[in-house]
Amino acid sequence: MLNSNNPDKTEFQDPVSINVGGQVYTTTLSTLTRFQDSMLGAMFRGKLPLLKDRKGNFFIDRDGKVFRHILNYLRSSSLDLPRDFSEMQLLKREADFYQIGPLLEELAQHESGFLQAAGRSAVLTADVSCQVRTLHFNLKRGPENFELFSCTVQIYTANVFCTSRAVVELLCRSFSYQTPEGAVPPQAEEGQPNYLRLQWTPRPAEMPVELFNKHGYRRLTVAPVPSTETTVVQDARSFVEWMLQLALAEGFRVDSVFPDSSDILNCVSLRFVRY
């Protein structure tokens, strides 16, 4: 049975016991009236009527479990929520009912920071491989003088995936292909904005530029944003080195390396994570 008290006759004495939705809390009057313009401040300064349960505890018909966080904030002016806290909407609703302005502001900041962190969390993977080809070609030495030459061409392919499209876009701005028409930025896979496929071929010294271009081979360069100074990506090791630099600059850390984690620059597969 609940008893209603006339606010003019209610007397408060420390410690104060409150039954909130069946959960009993014990605290002090100064804690409950910390924010005097709040609902609790009004209740426990005698400005609003209060109910009591059969044991004499003041009764508030609200969520008892989440009131723990309300009370802790009143005690310390600090919002300390567990990492796995999943009742943010309920806590916001209760804070709004009690009209605790500073807590509402801190909850909004906490939620904003959480969303930013969630938006920043990402996984980045990069796999690189090399295909070796032998090319045979004739070089003209005179009017009717041709000489047969052979050279080895190394074609590198890197498949990059990131859960953050912004990171893929950054990589597209950082890398570029060198073609006869000039620098051409790579593009994410059509219809798959989180995937980027890079393929490049360093030109062998013995291979004429005209023949290199005729085969459609392209060199790859990198100029990390905001730098404009380009560097040629010579091989897989060079690519891995640049991926490490770019990923670490964006707040990632190395999560796994294949095949040998102790020889990261000679790996064929990298995985980064960012929290």
Side-chain angles (χ1 to χ4, degrees):
M1 181 176 179
L2 300 175
N3 300 313
S4 178
N5 290 289
N6 186 320
D8 296 328
K9 296 182 179 180
T10 301
E11 294 183 1
F12 302 104
Q13 197 171 22
D14 284 334
V16 181
S17 292
I18 318 170
N19 179 343
V20 184
Q23 299 258 1
V24 178
Y25 296 90
T26 302
T27 185
T28 64
L29 190 61
S30 62
T31 295
L32 293 169
T33 59
R34 186 181 186 90
F35 300 102
Q36 295 192 4
D37 58 348
S38 69
M39 182 76 74
L40 288 170
M43 287 177 176
F44 289 93
R45 285 190 302 125
K47 303 296 184 181
L48 292 174
L50 281 168
L51 297 176
K52 282 190 175 183
D53 65 14
R54 286 180 293 182
K55 294 184 178 180
N57 302 311
F58 292 105
F59 180 80
I60 302 175
D61 189 20
R62 300 297 297 185
D63 188 275
K65 182 180 177 182
V66 83
F67 186 76
R68 166 196 170 196
H69 303 294
I70 303 282
L71 188 56
N72 282 337
Y73 184 81
L74 294 175
R75 287 167 172 160
S76 63
S77 293
S78 176
L79 181 62
D80 301 309
L81 299 175
R83 287 195 175 202
D84 59 349
F85 185 69
S86 60
E87 296 181 302
M88 181 61 72
Q89 292 303 314
L90 175 59
L91 179 55
K92 286 169 61 180
R93 187 160 57 246
E94 295 302 292
D96 183 62
F97 169 79
Y98 292 113
Q99 286 296 294
I100 304 173
L103 176 56
L104 286 167
E105 292 176 8
E106 193 153 345
L107 283 169
Q109 293 176 2
H110 179 87
E111 193 170 37
S112 174
F114 176 80
L115 290 173
Q116 289 177 6
R120 184 169 169 76
S121 299
V123 175
L124 170 64
T125 64
D127 302 316
V128 61
S129 60
C130 178
Q131 183 181 9
V132 179
R133 293 180 181 175
T134 301
L135 290 182
H136 304 284
F137 55 91
N138 291 315
L139 279 184
K140 189 175 183 180
R141 296 299 190 183
E144 295 184 2
N145 183 12
F146 292 88
E147 189 173 346
L148 180 64
F149 279 86
S150 298
C151 73
T152 299
V153 176
Q154 294 178 316
I155 303 171
Y156 294 95
T157 302
N159 291 301
V160 180
F161 167 79
C162 188
T163 54
S164 168
R165 294 186 184 181
V167 172
V168 176
E169 291 169 1
L170 175 65
L171 294 175
C172 290
R173 296 195 303 271
S174 299
F175 289 101
S176 60
Y177 293 117
Q178 299 303 311
T179 71
E181 292 76 28
V184 177
Q187 300 294 324
E189 292 289 297
E190 186 176 354
Q192 301 182 77
N194 296 93
Y195 289 88
L196 174 65
R197 186 172 186 266
L198 299 170
Q199 191 170 78
W200 74 98
T201 306
R203 184 177 70 85
E206 62 273 23
M207 187 176 190
V209 175
E210 297 80 5
L211 186 62
F212 183 83
N213 293 334
K214 182 180 178 180
H215 279 275
Y217 296 137
R218 299 178 296 182
R219 293 185 306 149
L220 184 68
T221 59
V222 61
V225 177
S227 171
T228 56
E229 183 178 346
T230 60
T231 302
V232 175
V233 180
Q234 292 288 358
D235 50 23
R237 181 186 176 94
S238 176
F239 172 76
V240 169
E241 189 173 357
W242 278 109
M243 280 299 299
L244 280 167
Q245 182 175 323
L246 292 166
L248 295 177
E250 287 300 303
F252 287 89
R253 66 173 181 82
V254 178
D255 183 58
S256 63
V257 177
F258 181 82
D260 185 358
S261 59
S262 65
D263 190 14
I264 191 169
L265 292 181
N266 289 314
C267 72
V268 297
S269 181
L270 272 172
R271 185 176 187 272
F272 302 89
V273 293
R274 183 175 70 187
Y275 299 108

